Amino acid sequence: MKVEQVLDILNITNQEYIEFTNIINSVNSKFSIKNLGFLKNDAPLISNSIYSYYPLMFKNIMNMGKDNLPFLIEFSHLHFISLFLLDKIYDEQKFSNSLDLLVLLDLYHENQNNLNMITTYYPDIKEEIQKYLSVTKEGFFKEKYIYSYENSLNISEIETYCYNKYSYAKIALLIYEKFCNTFLDKEIIDVLKESHDYFAVGRQILDDLDDYMDDYSHNSYNIYTNYYYKKNNLSKNLTESKPLQEELTTLSIEYLKKSLNMVKDYTESGWYRYISFYLNQALGKRNLMLNIKNKIDRLY
Protein backbone atom coordinates (compact mmCIF):
# COMPACT_ATOMS: atom_id res chain seq x y z
CA MET A 1 0.00 0.00 0.00
CA LYS A 2 1.38 3.43 -0.97
CA VAL A 3 2.14 6.05 1.68
CA GLU A 4 -0.48 8.37 0.19
CA GLN A 5 -3.12 5.68 0.60
CA VAL A 6 -2.07 5.06 4.21
CA LEU A 7 -2.28 8.79 4.97
CA ASP A 8 -5.73 8.96 3.45
CA ILE A 9 -7.07 5.91 5.30
CA LEU A 10 -5.65 6.98 8.66
CA ASN A 11 -6.48 10.66 8.05
CA ILE A 12 -3.11 11.87 9.31
CA THR A 13 -0.65 14.45 8.03
CA ASN A 14 2.70 13.59 6.54
CA GLN A 15 4.35 14.94 9.70
CA GLU A 16 2.20 12.69 11.90
CA TYR A 17 3.03 9.74 9.66
CA ILE A 18 6.75 10.46 10.11
CA GLU A 19 6.33 10.69 13.89
CA PHE A 20 4.46 7.39 14.12
CA THR A 21 6.86 5.71 11.70
CA ASN A 22 9.81 6.85 13.82
CA ILE A 23 8.21 5.05 16.77
CA ILE A 24 7.94 1.87 14.72
CA ASN A 25 11.48 2.18 13.36
CA SER A 26 12.75 2.59 16.92
CA VAL A 27 10.94 -0.62 17.91
CA ASN A 28 12.54 -2.41 14.95
CA SER A 29 16.03 -1.24 15.91
CA LYS A 30 15.60 -2.15 19.59
CA PHE A 31 14.30 -5.57 18.59
CA SER A 32 17.30 -6.22 16.32
CA ILE A 33 19.83 -5.16 18.96
CA LYS A 34 18.14 -7.00 21.82
CA ASN A 35 17.40 -10.31 20.10
CA LEU A 36 19.99 -10.59 17.33
CA GLY A 37 22.89 -8.54 18.61
CA PHE A 38 25.41 -10.88 17.01
CA LEU A 39 24.62 -9.17 13.71
CA LYS A 40 26.46 -6.11 15.10
CA ASN A 41 24.00 -3.61 13.69
CA ASP A 42 20.53 -2.23 14.31
CA ALA A 43 19.23 -2.79 10.78
CA PRO A 44 15.50 -3.56 10.92
CA LEU A 45 14.73 -7.25 10.45
CA ILE A 46 10.98 -6.71 10.38
CA SER A 47 9.09 -4.46 8.01
CA ASN A 48 6.24 -2.04 8.65
CA SER A 49 2.68 -2.48 7.42
CA ILE A 50 -0.54 -0.54 7.77
CA TYR A 51 -1.35 -2.88 10.66
CA SER A 52 1.58 -1.35 12.54
CA TYR A 53 -0.61 1.78 12.67
CA TYR A 54 -3.76 -0.19 13.48
CA PRO A 55 -4.86 1.76 16.60
CA LEU A 56 -5.11 4.91 14.48
CA MET A 57 -8.04 3.30 12.65
CA PHE A 58 -10.07 3.29 15.86
CA LYS A 59 -8.81 6.36 17.72
CA ASN A 60 -12.03 8.30 17.03
CA ILE A 61 -14.43 5.43 17.70
CA MET A 62 -12.69 4.56 20.96
CA ASN A 63 -11.65 8.09 21.94
CA MET A 64 -8.04 7.05 22.55
CA GLY A 65 -5.77 9.56 24.19
CA LYS A 66 -2.80 10.72 22.16
CA ASP A 67 -0.50 9.81 25.04
CA ASN A 68 -1.49 6.14 24.69
CA LEU A 69 -0.91 5.90 20.94
CA PRO A 70 2.90 5.32 21.03
CA PHE A 71 2.49 2.28 23.30
CA LEU A 72 -0.45 0.92 21.28
CA ILE A 73 1.46 1.36 18.02
CA GLU A 74 4.48 -0.47 19.47
CA PHE A 75 2.24 -3.29 20.62
CA SER A 76 0.32 -3.47 17.33
CA HIS A 77 3.48 -3.52 15.24
CA LEU A 78 4.98 -6.53 17.05
CA HIS A 79 1.59 -8.19 17.39
CA PHE A 80 0.66 -8.18 13.71
CA ILE A 81 4.13 -8.66 12.23
CA SER A 82 4.57 -11.84 14.28
CA LEU A 83 1.36 -13.14 12.71
CA PHE A 84 2.40 -12.20 9.16
CA LEU A 85 5.77 -13.88 9.54
CA LEU A 86 4.15 -17.02 10.93
CA ASP A 87 1.70 -17.00 8.03
CA LYS A 88 4.56 -16.66 5.55
CA ILE A 89 6.43 -19.61 7.04
CA TYR A 90 3.28 -21.74 7.10
CA ASP A 91 2.54 -20.88 3.48
CA GLU A 92 5.99 -21.81 2.25
CA GLN A 93 6.71 -24.54 4.79
CA LYS A 94 10.34 -23.59 4.41
CA PHE A 95 12.56 -20.67 5.30
CA SER A 96 13.53 -18.71 2.20
CA ASN A 97 15.42 -16.37 4.52
CA SER A 98 17.51 -18.17 7.13
CA LEU A 99 16.79 -15.45 9.69
CA ASP A 100 13.02 -15.85 9.43
CA LEU A 101 12.82 -18.58 12.05
CA LEU A 102 15.05 -16.74 14.52
CA VAL A 103 13.11 -13.52 14.07
CA LEU A 104 9.78 -15.31 14.42
CA LEU A 105 10.77 -17.06 17.66
CA ASP A 106 11.91 -13.84 19.29
CA LEU A 107 9.08 -11.78 17.86
CA TYR A 108 6.42 -14.20 19.03
CA HIS A 109 8.06 -14.39 22.47
CA GLU A 110 8.15 -10.60 22.70
CA ASN A 111 4.51 -10.33 21.74
CA GLN A 112 3.50 -12.97 24.29
CA ASN A 113 5.34 -11.03 26.98
CA ASN A 114 3.40 -7.91 26.01
CA LEU A 115 0.11 -9.78 26.13
CA ASN A 116 0.97 -11.29 29.53
CA MET A 117 1.87 -7.88 30.89
CA ILE A 118 -1.36 -6.32 29.65
CA THR A 119 -3.57 -9.15 30.91
CA THR A 120 -1.89 -8.90 34.33
CA TYR A 121 -3.35 -5.41 34.57
CA TYR A 122 -6.59 -6.35 32.80
CA PRO A 123 -7.35 -9.99 33.74
CA ASP A 124 -10.96 -9.67 32.53
CA ILE A 125 -9.82 -9.96 28.89
CA LYS A 126 -7.30 -12.77 29.38
CA GLU A 127 -9.70 -15.63 28.65
CA GLU A 128 -11.02 -14.02 25.46
CA ILE A 129 -7.49 -13.26 24.24
CA GLN A 130 -6.49 -16.89 24.81
CA LYS A 131 -9.55 -17.98 22.81
CA TYR A 132 -8.53 -15.81 19.85
CA LEU A 133 -4.94 -17.04 20.04
CA SER A 134 -6.19 -20.62 20.03
CA VAL A 135 -8.48 -20.26 17.02
CA THR A 136 -5.72 -18.45 15.12
CA LYS A 137 -3.37 -21.40 15.62
CA GLU A 138 -6.17 -23.82 14.81
CA GLY A 139 -6.84 -21.93 11.58
CA PHE A 140 -3.19 -22.16 10.52
CA PHE A 141 -3.09 -25.86 11.28
CA LYS A 142 -6.27 -26.70 9.40
CA GLU A 143 -5.29 -24.50 6.45
CA LYS A 144 -2.04 -26.36 5.98
CA TYR A 145 -2.88 -29.93 6.99
CA ILE A 146 -6.64 -30.48 6.80
CA TYR A 147 -8.30 -28.11 4.34
CA SER A 148 -7.86 -29.20 0.74
CA TYR A 149 -9.48 -28.79 -2.67
CA GLU A 150 -10.13 -32.52 -2.45
CA ASN A 151 -12.56 -32.03 0.47
CA SER A 152 -14.04 -28.64 -0.34
CA LEU A 153 -15.54 -26.35 2.29
CA ASN A 154 -19.06 -24.96 2.23
CA ILE A 155 -19.67 -21.24 2.76
CA SER A 156 -20.19 -21.62 6.51
CA GLU A 157 -16.87 -23.42 6.86
CA ILE A 158 -15.16 -20.80 4.71
CA GLU A 159 -16.54 -18.08 6.98
CA THR A 160 -15.13 -19.83 10.05
CA TYR A 161 -11.78 -20.26 8.30
CA CYS A 162 -11.64 -16.52 7.56
CA TYR A 163 -12.89 -15.46 11.00
CA ASN A 164 -10.17 -17.52 12.63
CA LYS A 165 -7.42 -16.05 10.45
CA TYR A 166 -8.46 -12.52 11.46
CA SER A 167 -8.92 -13.25 15.17
CA TYR A 168 -5.54 -11.68 15.92
CA ALA A 169 -7.09 -8.30 15.10
CA LYS A 170 -9.82 -8.84 17.68
CA ILE A 171 -7.11 -9.21 20.34
CA ALA A 172 -5.96 -5.73 19.41
CA LEU A 173 -9.51 -4.38 19.76
CA LEU A 174 -9.80 -5.81 23.29
CA ILE A 175 -6.57 -4.10 24.27
CA TYR A 176 -7.39 -0.77 22.61
CA GLU A 177 -10.63 -0.68 24.60
CA LYS A 178 -8.62 -0.59 27.82
CA PHE A 179 -6.92 2.62 26.74
CA CYS A 180 -10.05 4.63 25.98
CA ASN A 181 -10.45 8.00 27.67
CA THR A 182 -14.16 7.40 28.17
CA PHE A 183 -16.36 4.40 28.91
CA LEU A 184 -16.96 2.35 25.76
CA ASP A 185 -20.24 0.51 25.44
CA LYS A 186 -19.77 -3.24 24.91
CA GLU A 187 -22.11 -3.02 21.90
CA ILE A 188 -19.52 -0.90 20.06
CA ILE A 189 -16.84 -3.58 20.49
CA ASP A 190 -19.32 -6.25 19.39
CA VAL A 191 -20.13 -4.22 16.26
CA LEU A 192 -16.42 -3.84 15.48
CA LYS A 193 -15.84 -7.58 15.94
CA GLU A 194 -18.69 -8.45 13.59
CA SER A 195 -17.42 -5.92 11.07
CA HIS A 196 -14.01 -7.60 11.30
CA ASP A 197 -15.59 -10.99 10.59
CA TYR A 198 -17.30 -9.81 7.40
CA PHE A 199 -14.16 -7.93 6.35
CA ALA A 200 -12.08 -11.07 6.91
CA VAL A 201 -14.13 -13.02 4.38
CA GLY A 202 -14.22 -10.26 1.77
CA ARG A 203 -10.51 -9.55 2.03
CA GLN A 204 -9.52 -13.23 2.02
CA ILE A 205 -11.46 -13.84 -1.18
CA LEU A 206 -9.65 -10.94 -2.87
CA ASP A 207 -6.27 -12.23 -1.68
CA ASP A 208 -7.05 -15.76 -2.84
CA LEU A 209 -8.10 -14.55 -6.28
CA ASP A 210 -4.61 -13.06 -6.64
CA ASP A 211 -2.67 -15.95 -5.12
CA TYR A 212 -4.46 -19.14 -6.14
CA MET A 213 -1.72 -20.52 -8.38
CA ASP A 214 1.00 -19.79 -5.83
CA ASP A 215 -1.09 -21.31 -3.03
CA TYR A 216 -1.77 -24.35 -5.19
CA SER A 217 1.94 -24.87 -5.80
CA HIS A 218 2.53 -24.79 -2.03
CA ASN A 219 -0.43 -27.07 -1.36
CA SER A 220 -2.11 -24.29 0.66
CA TYR A 221 -5.86 -23.87 0.95
CA ASN A 222 -7.37 -21.24 -1.35
CA ILE A 223 -11.01 -20.18 -1.78
CA TYR A 224 -10.73 -19.87 -5.58
CA THR A 225 -9.29 -23.39 -5.83
CA ASN A 226 -11.99 -24.64 -3.47
CA TYR A 227 -14.75 -23.30 -5.75
CA TYR A 228 -12.95 -24.31 -8.93
CA TYR A 229 -12.94 -27.98 -7.95
CA LYS A 230 -16.52 -27.81 -6.78
CA LYS A 231 -17.37 -27.02 -10.39
CA ASN A 232 -14.80 -29.25 -12.09
CA ASN A 233 -13.49 -32.79 -11.89
CA LEU A 234 -10.53 -33.21 -9.54
CA SER A 235 -8.44 -34.52 -12.42
CA LYS A 236 -8.81 -31.23 -14.29
CA ASN A 237 -5.83 -28.87 -14.18
CA LEU A 238 -6.33 -25.67 -12.22
CA THR A 239 -6.78 -22.79 -14.65
CA GLU A 240 -8.13 -19.24 -14.79
CA SER A 241 -11.92 -19.08 -14.99
CA LYS A 242 -13.33 -15.63 -15.73
CA PRO A 243 -16.90 -16.55 -14.67
CA LEU A 244 -15.62 -17.93 -11.37
CA GLN A 245 -13.45 -14.87 -10.77
CA GLU A 246 -16.48 -12.67 -11.36
CA GLU A 247 -18.61 -14.81 -9.04
CA LEU A 248 -16.08 -14.68 -6.21
CA THR A 249 -15.40 -10.97 -6.67
CA THR A 250 -19.14 -10.39 -6.33
CA LEU A 251 -19.14 -12.53 -3.18
CA SER A 252 -16.26 -10.48 -1.79
CA ILE A 253 -18.21 -7.29 -2.47
CA GLU A 254 -21.20 -8.64 -0.56
CA TYR A 255 -19.10 -9.33 2.56
CA LEU A 256 -17.25 -6.02 2.37
CA LYS A 257 -20.57 -4.17 2.10
CA LYS A 258 -21.81 -6.04 5.18
CA SER A 259 -18.63 -5.08 7.01
CA LEU A 260 -19.02 -1.44 6.02
CA ASN A 261 -22.70 -1.39 6.97
CA MET A 262 -21.83 -2.55 10.49
CA VAL A 263 -19.84 0.67 11.05
CA LYS A 264 -22.07 3.07 9.09
CA ASP A 265 -22.22 5.29 12.18
CA TYR A 266 -18.44 5.74 12.12
CA THR A 267 -17.80 7.06 8.63
CA GLU A 268 -15.02 9.33 9.91
CA SER A 269 -13.00 6.41 11.26
CA GLY A 270 -9.93 4.89 9.64
CA TRP A 271 -11.57 1.49 9.89
CA TYR A 272 -14.50 2.67 7.72
CA ARG A 273 -12.08 4.10 5.16
CA TYR A 274 -9.98 0.90 5.23
CA ILE A 275 -12.98 -1.28 4.41
CA SER A 276 -14.01 1.22 1.71
CA PHE A 277 -10.54 0.97 0.16
CA TYR A 278 -10.91 -2.77 -0.43
CA LEU A 279 -14.56 -2.48 -1.42
CA ASN A 280 -13.57 0.01 -4.12
CA GLN A 281 -10.82 -2.35 -5.27
CA ALA A 282 -13.32 -5.21 -5.54
CA LEU A 283 -15.86 -3.02 -7.37
CA GLY A 284 -13.18 -1.83 -9.78
CA LYS A 285 -12.07 -5.41 -10.42
CA ARG A 286 -15.63 -6.54 -11.16
CA ASN A 287 -16.39 -3.52 -13.38
CA LEU A 288 -13.27 -4.27 -15.41
CA MET A 289 -14.41 -7.88 -15.85
CA LEU A 290 -17.89 -6.80 -16.90
CA ASN A 291 -16.51 -4.25 -19.40
CA ILE A 292 -14.27 -6.87 -21.00
CA LYS A 293 -17.15 -9.35 -21.06
CA ASN A 294 -19.45 -6.80 -22.74
CA LYS A 295 -16.86 -6.02 -25.38
CA ILE A 296 -16.43 -9.71 -26.17
CA ASP A 297 -20.21 -10.19 -26.32
CA ARG A 298 -20.51 -7.34 -28.84
CA LEU A 299 -17.90 -8.98 -31.05
CA TYR A 300 -20.12 -12.05 -31.35
Side-chain angles (χ1 to χ4, degrees):
M1 189 174 285
K2 297 178 181 178
V3 172
E4 295 78 13
Q5 294 169 327
V6 173
L7 294 176
D8 184 56
I9 289 170
L10 300 178
N11 192 28
I12 56 176
T13 65
N14 192 61
Q15 182 57 40
E16 287 175 313
Y17 175 77
I18 291 171
E19 291 173 6
F20 292 129
T21 301
N22 285 340
I23 293 171
I24 296 168
N25 290 340
S26 176
V27 172
N28 289 345
S29 295
K30 290 176 184 176
F31 177 85
S32 299
I33 294 170
K34 175 184 175 182
N35 296 292
L36 294 158
F38 63 86
L39 295 176
K40 304 299 182 185
N41 64 61
D42 62 352
L45 298 171
I46 46 180
S47 58
N48 303 349
S49 83
I50 193 168
Y51 286 92
S52 303
Y53 308 86
Y54 209 58
L56 300 178
M57 294 192 190
F58 308 96
K59 63 178 181 178
N60 295 335
I61 300 176
M62 296 190 177
N63 192 21
M64 293 178 194
K66 190 173 182 180
D67 292 344
N68 292 325
L69 287 177
F71 168 75
L72 293 176
I73 286 173
E74 288 184 26
F75 162 77
S76 300
H77 177 57
L78 294 175
H79 181 68
F80 283 106
I81 299 301
S82 66
L83 176 72
F84 299 153
L85 189 54
L86 181 60
D87 189 28
K88 174 186 174 185
I89 290 173
Y90 252 87
D91 277 350
E92 297 182 3
Q93 210 171 10
K94 61 185 178 62
F95 306 109
S96 55
N97 183 330
S98 58
L99 280 175
D100 277 356
L101 180 58
L102 292 177
V103 172
L104 172 63
L105 290 172
D106 287 324
L107 196 57
Y108 193 76
H109 176 70
E110 193 105 356
N111 185 53
Q112 289 302 301
N113 284 342
N114 287 339
L115 287 175
N116 289 336
M117 177 190 69
I118 292 169
T119 53
T120 297
Y121 285 97
Y122 304 106
D124 57 306
I125 60 174
K126 184 173 184 178
E127 184 176 345
E128 195 168 4
I129 285 176
Q130 287 301 319
K131 179 187 77 174
Y132 289 141
L133 285 171
S134 178
V135 298
T136 299
K137 293 175 185 177
E138 179 185 0
F140 276 131
F141 181 82
K142 286 184 175 179
E143 178 182 20
K144 191 64 186 177
Y145 298 109
I146 297 177
Y147 296 156
S148 167
Y149 64 86
E150 294 177 344
N151 52 347
S152 61
L153 308 185
N154 59 40
I155 189 61
S156 177
E157 292 169 323
I158 288 173
E159 287 178 342
T160 300
Y161 156 72
C162 296
Y163 297 166
N164 288 352
K165 286 197 73 172
Y166 216 68
S167 288
Y168 234 58
K170 294 180 186 177
I171 294 173
L173 291 179
L174 293 174
I175 290 170
Y176 299 164
E177 180 189 5
K178 296 302 180 181
F179 292 85
C180 297
N181 282 343
T182 56
F183 173 76
L184 193 68
D185 195 298
K186 182 180 180 296
E187 289 184 5
I188 296 175
I189 293 296
D190 290 341
V191 162
L192 289 175
K193 288 178 184 176
E194 191 169 354
S195 178
H196 273 63
D197 282 341
Y198 289 135
F199 176 80
V201 183
R203 173 72 190 278
Q204 189 65 49
I205 292 171
L206 289 181
D207 285 349
D208 284 3
L209 282 168
D210 289 334
D211 301 335
Y212 67 90
M213 287 305 298
D214 190 50
D215 287 341
Y216 185 71
S217 68
H218 288 116
N219 197 32
S220 298
Y221 177 77
N222 184 288
I223 295 172
Y224 174 88
T225 309
N226 183 100
Y227 272 78
Y228 182 87
Y229 282 111
K230 275 185 178 180
K231 299 173 182 290
N232 296 284
N233 190 287
L234 288 174
S235 62
K236 183 177 173 61
N237 289 332
L238 181 68
T239 59
E240 180 182 55
S241 167
K242 296 295 185 183
L244 179 55
Q245 288 181 331
E246 183 184 332
E247 176 187 342
L248 288 177
T249 302
T250 299
L251 186 61
S252 171
I253 290 168
E254 290 174 5
Y255 278 98
L256 291 171
K257 283 183 175 179
K258 288 179 181 179
S259 178
L260 200 62
N261 186 59
M262 291 300 301
V263 288
K264 60 182 183 297
D265 294 333
Y266 308 106
T267 56
E268 296 304 312
S269 70
W271 177 242
Y272 186 93
R273 289 188 293 271
Y274 190 55
I275 303 166
S276 299
F277 173 83
Y278 282 101
L279 176 57
N280 289 332
Q281 279 201 334
L283 289 168
K285 184 189 289 279
R286 187 176 66 176
N287 288 339
L288 180 61
M289 291 176 185
L290 292 175
N291 288 338
I292 293 174
K293 181 180 177 182
N294 291 335
K295 288 179 181 179
I296 292 174
D297 289 343
R298 283 196 296 270
L299 289 174
Y300 296 96

